[in-house]
């Protein structure tokens, strides 16, 4: 290696955070998952049923992330970020940008469809919840590759069906302004 490399990174511990940031933030990928967020508002006017559009986006996003090793790198280094604050700070803007891109798409879609979220839910909170679900599914697909692809049901993967279930849970369908806990308690009724 050239001497300039060692002038820039005298130790392995100084090199690794920069390499990880480059791999996660600056390295170009053929299809960036956050660009898929731009598809969300258009689903309001799509000719296909809304559920099929949700399935298409959810399954496409998961497949996209499965094709990119850097999504697994994020899952791998997540627990280590507290020990590397400079790395954590370098990654936060890209992570926040992704959450915000999806939240903006959800906000536009809700407005176009005239839908309300249950109290306590915002497009940003929905984006956080769906991102956490996506991260969990991505990890499970990685460590249990035979279980999840075979769990498709009537044209939807289990992640897409989970997204549909979350959406149904957070949309205030009857405009009752009840939160999810109240709606569930009302559904179950009083118990002895």
């Amino acid at each position: 290696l050239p001497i300039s490399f060692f002038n820039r990174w005298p130790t392995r511990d100084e090199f690794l955070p920069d390499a990880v940031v480059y791999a996660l933030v600056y390295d170009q990928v053929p299809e960036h998952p956050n660009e898929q967020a731009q598809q969300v508002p258009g689903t309001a006017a799509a000719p296909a049923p809304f559920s099929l559009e949700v399935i298409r986006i959810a399954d496409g996003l998961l497949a996209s992330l499965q094709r990119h090793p850097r999504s697994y790198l994020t899952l791998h280094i997540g627990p280590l970020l507290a020990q590397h604050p400079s790395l954590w700070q370098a990654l936060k803007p890209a992570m926040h940008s992704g959450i915000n891109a999806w939240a903006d798409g959800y906000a536009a879609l809700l407005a176009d469809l005239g839908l309300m979220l249950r109290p306590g839910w915002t497009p940003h909170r929905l984006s956080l919840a769906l991102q956490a679900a996506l991260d969990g599914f991505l990890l499970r697909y990685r460590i249990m590759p035979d279980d999840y692809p075979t769990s498709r049901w009537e044209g939807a993967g289990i992640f897409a069906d989970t997204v549909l279930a979350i959406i149904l849970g957070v949309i205030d369908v009857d405009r009752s302004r009840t939160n999810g806990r109240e709606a569930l308690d009302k559904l179950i009724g009083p118990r002895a």
Side-chain angles (χ1 to χ4, degrees):
L1 291 175
I3 191 91
S4 60
F5 179 89
F6 291 105
N7 286 338
R8 172 71 176 92
W9 298 288
T11 68
R12 178 180 175 269
D13 287 340
E14 292 171 285
F15 169 71
L16 284 178
D18 285 349
V20 169
V21 168
Y22 178 80
L24 292 176
V25 177
Y26 300 112
D27 191 23
Q28 297 297 314
V29 294
E31 52 183 338
H32 198 282
N34 292 336
E35 291 174 7
Q36 293 181 6
Q38 297 169 359
Q39 299 175 45
V40 173
T43 60
F50 182 68
S51 62
L52 291 181
E53 288 296 299
V54 171
I55 291 167
R56 180 184 61 78
I57 292 171
D59 281 348
L61 178 60
L62 183 60
S64 169
L65 289 172
Q66 287 176 292
R67 287 190 295 272
H68 297 299
R70 74 188 212 173
S71 62
Y72 296 111
L73 178 59
T74 303
L75 294 172
H76 180 72
I77 66 165
L80 306 174
L81 289 177
Q83 300 160 359
H84 299 280
S86 61
L87 176 58
W88 200 349
Q89 292 304 316
L91 295 178
K92 276 185 179 180
M95 300 289 191
H96 284 143
S97 175
I99 294 293
N100 292 334
W102 286 94
D104 291 346
Y106 302 146
L109 179 63
L110 290 165
D112 288 348
L113 294 175
L115 296 173
M116 291 177 45
L117 294 176
R118 291 192 179 279
W121 284 96
T122 64
H124 186 261
R125 191 168 186 238
L126 177 59
S127 184
L128 290 171
L130 290 174
Q131 181 63 55
L134 178 60
D135 291 345
F137 273 96
L138 190 59
L139 177 63
R140 287 294 164 172
Y141 270 73
R142 179 68 172 212
I143 62 175
M144 301 175 74
D146 296 333
D147 290 351
Y148 285 85
T150 60
S151 67
R152 293 188 73 80
W153 183 72
E154 293 190 2
I158 192 169
F159 172 65
D161 267 343
T162 300
V163 170
L164 290 169
I166 292 171
I167 291 170
L168 282 171
V170 302
I171 292 177
D172 190 357
V173 178
D174 59 2
R175 297 182 181 269
S176 64
R177 303 297 299 153
T178 58
N179 63 42
R181 293 174 298 270
E182 294 166 343
L184 180 60
D185 289 343
K186 184 179 175 183
L187 176 68
I188 300 301
R191 296 173 40 173

